[in-house]
Amino acid sequence: MQRDLEKMSATAYDLIVVGGGITGASTAWDAALRGLKVALLEKEDFAHATTSGSSKLVHGGLRYLVNGELKLVRESLRERRIWENTAPHMVHPLPFILPTYGHGMKSGPVLSIGLAFYDLLSYDRNFVSDDDKKIPGFRSISREEALKLMPSLKREGLTGAKIYYDCQMFAPERLCIECIEGAVEYGADAANYAEVNDFIVESTTTSGRRIAGVKVKDRHTGKMHEIRGKVVVNAAGPWADLLMGIAEGGRPARRLIRSKGIHIITREISGKNALAIQSDIGGHFFVIPWRGHTIIGTTDTVFDDDPDKVGVTEQDLKDFISVVNDGLPGLNLKREDIVHFYVGIRPLVDTAPAQGEEGSKDSYNASRAAEVYDHEPIDGIAGLISAMGGKWTTSRHLAEQITDMVLKKLGRHAKCETHCTPVYGGEIGRLKSFITRAQKRHPHLSADVVENLVLYYGSRVDEVLATADERPGEREALLRRLAPNWPVLTVQVIHAIRHEMARHLSDVLFRRTGLGTLGSPGFPTISTVVEVMARELGWDETAIANEIAEANRYFETQSPGPRESDMKGASLAEATRGARP
């Protein structure tokens, strides 16, 4: 996967996708599989925002039953099964504990009815290729069993618990990138750090305008490019209505409610089970086991500022700790228990009329359903489609609907294949057997290293390791761990640069290797990664300092007010001041 905006500007495309999150990635993958010539453009790094800022769940949305969104729940449950089959190294069943209280909506009988309906809607949940991924129906456990599994539960009124199953992603940002790599394998071109800031208007007629492509700024060189395509899909996530406004020359026809969701990561506190908890002061949240740690999330508050400015403040953490301790009083969570945190923005479709009053701005109860908006019949803008809203779980199906509309506009027909085609790296069969075979094939590597490679790259493990052979004499050094307590190899950094468009330290730490997703791996590890990247990309000391300073922002809470990039040109000592040893 190579980045080449010069080549892309000289190519005629059937489809240009703006946005490199999971919606854009899935659309590019689907369209490429159906034979379209596709360009994918992302202004930052792939999967940098909402896609990586999720709860890492692929789930049916149990609480959507309360809102009567049966169609969305059924769609989500079907898509959950499809992701299990097409990304078997990435998507795994996860048991959830749901405590029961009293005689109301939280009571055992009421929740049993809801969960029975949930199981009924997932009637095809065990049509999976790996028996280890089969999901049982819900079951009830006693009060004593519930407290044994999760001692921090609120005890007053506790009558027992239900255990049901959903699924978890090992690394959502990697899964997104694999969809892009799959699209590239089938002929698509992709570029990160390629900012679309205007559209090419081919003609203006009595019936309206036609979009003939996009104007793109290369954020590395500052050079502008024009990339032409017959159809443009706006899949910009939280920025989708802003991009829509550029096309429409003012107020967008559809608006988004931006919901800010923060997650905190702590030491392991939940065992092998996840926990779904209702807090009286802050709605519901999940407690989720992940990589030997626990993710607690998420908040759900309206964010009215520029989506580029979203961040986590100390007040955010303080408020969320209060919510968690209200829902789990026995946990007694403190600020020092948090080892890392991250934030994402959910783009929710605002149902208020475009020219009417603002919507209710209730992000918690707003629908997670998506909308595919064709600008031609309503706005008179031909050649532009916008994807609004949606959720991680249903992104593949949303992409199918988008691609169907694109093909109709192009006067072509081809069936969707993403529901039965493994993602890039997904052709592994039974996961446990594949891991065992990979460990036997690579006895020179530690078992945990090989398992981590399989979970990250699936069937492409050998391709990643082959990067170590690209330059004679480097193999031994590249097959070493980056740090004693991390199962990540130096060759993964090289592979990310040479074959996955990683251009910045944060790309490698957060979206290619996972080194930074549990908090700072420490300055020695970061220094090793920087040294490798500097050799590959030709960074000088100033560039190194800037890269470290920018990466450190992901480990720090946001100061009040707008946050400026004030480390440009800083010394190496200043830039590394926040890195933990």
Side-chain angles (χ1 to χ4, degrees), residues 215-397:
K215 298 179 181 180
V216 185
K217 179 182 179 180
D218 186 335
R219 297 188 65 184
H220 287 161
T221 66
K223 185 176 180 179
M224 292 298 300
H225 299 270
E226 290 192 354
I227 299 177
R228 293 182 172 268
K230 297 174 184 176
V231 180
V232 175
V233 166
N234 167 16
W239 294 266
D241 57 346
L242 303 179
L243 190 63
M244 187 184 288
I246 293 174
E248 295 173 353
R251 185 183 181 88
R254 287 290 188 275
R255 292 172 297 183
L256 291 173
I257 300 173
R258 295 175 181 83
S259 168
K260 175 180 173 179
I262 70 166
H263 295 78
I264 57 178
I265 298 179
T266 70
R267 70 184 190 285
E268 190 277 311
I269 59 173
S270 62
K272 296 181 179 180
N273 300 291
L275 192 64
I277 291 295
Q278 183 75 28
S279 165
D280 292 334
I281 64 173
H284 86 284
F285 62 89
F286 293 121
V287 180
I288 306 166
W290 190 65
R291 299 190 191 179
H293 290 68
T294 295
I295 297 173
I296 306 177
T298 176
T299 61
D300 198 334
T301 56
V302 173
F303 185 76
D304 288 325
D305 205 347
D306 183 341
D308 285 315
K309 295 180 179 179
V310 70
V312 179
T313 67
E314 284 295 328
Q315 188 62 47
D316 288 335
L317 297 180
K318 180 180 179 181
D319 292 344
F320 191 41
I321 287 172
S322 297
V323 170
V324 173
N325 285 331
D326 176 71
L328 290 171
L331 190 60
N332 194 27
L333 189 70
K334 298 180 175 62
R335 174 63 177 88
E336 54 265 31
D337 295 323
I338 299 174
V339 299
H340 189 45
F341 45 81
Y342 61 93
V343 65
I345 297 180
R346 305 174 197 86
L348 309 175
V349 179
D350 191 342
T351 56
Q355 302 303 321
E357 297 298 322
E358 291 292 326
S360 65
K361 301 302 182 186
D362 178 2
S363 62
Y364 183 77
N365 291 305
S367 174
R368 267 53 176 171
E371 177 180 345
V372 182
Y373 185 78
D374 184 352
H375 290 257
E376 185 171 8
I378 300 177
D379 307 320
I381 303 175
L384 179 63
I385 297 168
S386 288
M388 309 289 285
K391 54 199 287 274
W392 225 114
T393 303
T394 56
S395 57
R396 187 216 64 85
H397 187 227

Side-chain angles (χ1 to χ4, degrees), residues 385-421:
I385 297 168
S386 288
M388 309 289 285
K391 54 199 287 274
W392 225 114
T393 303
T394 56
S395 57
R396 187 216 64 85
H397 187 227
L398 174 59
E400 180 180 345
Q401 298 170 67
I402 294 167
T403 308
D404 285 345
M405 186 178 289
V406 171
L407 286 166
K408 185 176 180 180
K409 285 184 172 295
L410 295 175
R412 295 167 63 172
H413 177 75
K415 291 183 179 180
C416 177
E417 298 180 359
T418 53
H419 66 288
C420 58
T421 303

Side-chain angles (χ1 to χ4, degrees), residues 65-277:
L65 285 176
V66 179
N67 299 337
E69 295 184 276
L70 302 186
K71 184 178 179 181
L72 177 60
V73 175
R74 170 57 197 151
E75 176 193 16
S76 301
L77 290 168
R78 182 192 68 236
E79 293 300 308
R80 182 187 71 182
R81 172 183 56 80
I82 291 173
W83 282 117
E84 280 188 278
N85 280 328
T86 59
H89 58 306
M90 279 282 180
V91 180
H92 316 286
L94 179 67
F96 281 77
I97 300 172
L98 186 60
T100 58
Y101 292 91
H103 303 285
M105 291 297 292
K106 300 179 185 178
S107 69
V110 171
L111 290 179
S112 287
I113 292 172
L115 287 168
F117 199 30
Y118 197 63
D119 284 347
L120 181 63
L121 288 172
S122 63
Y123 61 87
D124 56 351
R125 63 184 178 274
N126 289 328
F127 296 174
V128 290
S129 56
D130 184 344
D131 282 353
D132 294 332
K133 294 184 179 295
K134 288 186 175 180
I135 293 177
F138 85 94
R139 62 186 177 93
S140 302
I141 60 175
S142 67
R143 182 180 190 273
E144 291 71 25
E145 290 176 293
L147 288 171
K148 184 177 180 180
L149 290 173
M150 199 64 186
S152 59
L153 286 172
K154 187 179 292 186
R155 295 174 180 244
E156 183 181 355
L158 179 68
T159 58
K162 310 296 178 182
I163 294 183
Y164 73 98
Y165 282 75
D166 263 313
C167 285
Q168 179 182 50
M169 290 176 280
F170 181 74
E173 61 282 351
R174 281 292 324 175
L175 183 48
C176 176
I177 290 171
E178 287 184 351
C179 290
I180 297 171
E181 289 180 307
V184 170
E185 187 177 38
Y186 279 82
D189 296 317
N192 53 2
Y193 299 103
E195 181 176 2
V196 172
N197 53 28
D198 205 352
F199 294 90
I200 301 170
V201 180
E202 188 175 64
S203 61
T204 303
T205 66
T206 54
S207 60
R209 297 177 295 146
R210 171 169 291 280
I211 300 295
V214 294
K215 298 179 181 180
V216 185
K217 179 182 179 180
D218 186 335
R219 297 188 65 184
H220 287 161
T221 66
K223 185 176 180 179
M224 292 298 300
H225 299 270
E226 290 192 354
I227 299 177
R228 293 182 172 268
K230 297 174 184 176
V231 180
V232 175
V233 166
N234 167 16
W239 294 266
D241 57 346
L242 303 179
L243 190 63
M244 187 184 288
I246 293 174
E248 295 173 353
R251 185 183 181 88
R254 287 290 188 275
R255 292 172 297 183
L256 291 173
I257 300 173
R258 295 175 181 83
S259 168
K260 175 180 173 179
I262 70 166
H263 295 78
I264 57 178
I265 298 179
T266 70
R267 70 184 190 285
E268 190 277 311
I269 59 173
S270 62
K272 296 181 179 180
N273 300 291
L275 192 64
I277 291 295

